[in-house]
């Protein structure tokens, strides 16, 4: 990616991809810098705003992340990962109702988004909507049977519903 940027330094998508790669490599500050460069190159690049929001979220800069995810959604309202990111930041700030709405939008726009179903189930569990949480978390583990956190959360929900054998099964799968 860096070689491509040496040739085309104003290529927003390459900057955004570099930011995502740096974020996945555990360098959120460098990821933030690359994503800011992407946004500067193309202020209409909704994915760059989403990636920037993710970099800020990892750094626990939730208010700034909210603004970035909001900007991404202003550019592309059906961008599921921006809804997911916005919901995660809202959840961190204790805004569960708003987060719930975002997670619902995320899975409506992208029904196979495992993390969307997981976070939806998690916030429903926190709000004590256990049957709805169970449904969302079952969808998450159905899409990704190796999603450890979803199995644990589903186990917690099933335990609260007094479905102990099923809870134990999910704890074991985790």
């Amino acid at each position: 990616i860096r070689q491509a940027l040496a040739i085309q330094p104003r290529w927003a998508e390459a900057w955004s991809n570099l930011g995502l790669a740096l974020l996945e490599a555990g360098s959120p500050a460098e990821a933030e810098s690359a994503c800011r460069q992407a946004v500067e190159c193309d202020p209409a690049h909704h994915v760059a705003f989403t990636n920037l929001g993710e970099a800020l979220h990892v750094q626990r800069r939730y208010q700034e992340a909210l603004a970035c995810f909001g900007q991404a959604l202003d550019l592309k309202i059906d961008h599921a990962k921006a809804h997911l990111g916005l919901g995660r930041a809202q959840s961190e700030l204790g805004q569960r109702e708003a987060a719930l709405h975002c997670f619902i939008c995320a899975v409506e726009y992208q029904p196979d988004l495992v993390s969307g179903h997981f976070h939806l189930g998690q916030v429903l569990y926190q709000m004590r909507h256990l049957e709805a949480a169970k449904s969302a978390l079952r969808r998450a583990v159905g899409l990704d049977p190796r999603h450890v956190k979803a199995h644990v959360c589903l186990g917690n929900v099933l335990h609260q519903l007094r479905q102990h054998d099923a809870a134990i099964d999910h704890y074991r799968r985790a």
Side-chain angles (χ1 to χ4, degrees):
I1 296 174
R2 290 189 192 273
Q3 290 175 339
L5 287 169
I7 297 167
Q8 287 188 318
R10 303 281 308 155
W11 188 10
E13 187 171 357
W15 281 111
S16 182
N17 290 340
L18 177 61
L20 186 59
L22 289 165
L23 188 60
E24 290 174 0
S27 301
E30 289 180 68
E32 176 189 350
S33 178
C35 291
R36 287 193 187 282
Q37 187 67 40
V39 167
E40 183 181 310
C41 291
D42 182 0
H45 197 291
H46 67 279
V47 174
F49 277 105
T50 300
N51 291 347
L52 178 56
E54 289 295 336
L56 294 165
H57 186 275
V58 169
Q59 296 176 74
R60 300 179 190 270
R61 292 163 53 193
Y62 304 121
Q63 291 293 343
E64 291 173 82
L66 287 176
C68 290
F69 293 125
Q71 184 66 36
L73 291 170
D74 286 346
L75 294 166
K76 190 171 187 332
I77 192 63
D78 64 346
H79 186 49
K81 290 185 180 176
H83 282 285
L84 176 65
L86 183 61
R88 288 176 50 238
Q90 289 168 328
S91 187
E92 290 290 347
L93 294 169
Q95 302 168 5
R96 288 190 181 135
E97 290 289 338
L100 176 63
H101 173 73
C102 288
F103 297 143
I104 290 169
C105 287
V107 298
E108 284 178 355
Y109 288 124
Q110 190 175 339
D112 63 344
L113 185 62
V114 176
S115 54
H117 291 284
F118 167 69
H119 286 287
L120 175 60
Q122 190 174 44
V123 79
L124 286 165
Y125 173 62
Q126 292 167 348
M127 296 171 77
R128 312 302 296 156
H129 299 297
L130 299 179
E131 288 295 334
K134 179 172 80 170
S135 177
L137 291 163
R138 283 189 188 231
R139 179 76 172 130
V141 298
L143 289 166
D144 181 3
R146 298 180 60 152
H147 195 296
V148 173
K149 291 180 182 180
H151 279 290
V152 170
C153 194
L154 180 54
N156 293 342
V157 169
L158 293 167
H159 176 74
Q160 291 294 312
L161 290 169
R162 303 195 185 288
Q163 298 174 16
H164 301 296
D165 290 341
I168 290 167
D169 181 53
H170 285 282
Y171 291 140
R172 285 185 175 142
R173 290 183 196 186

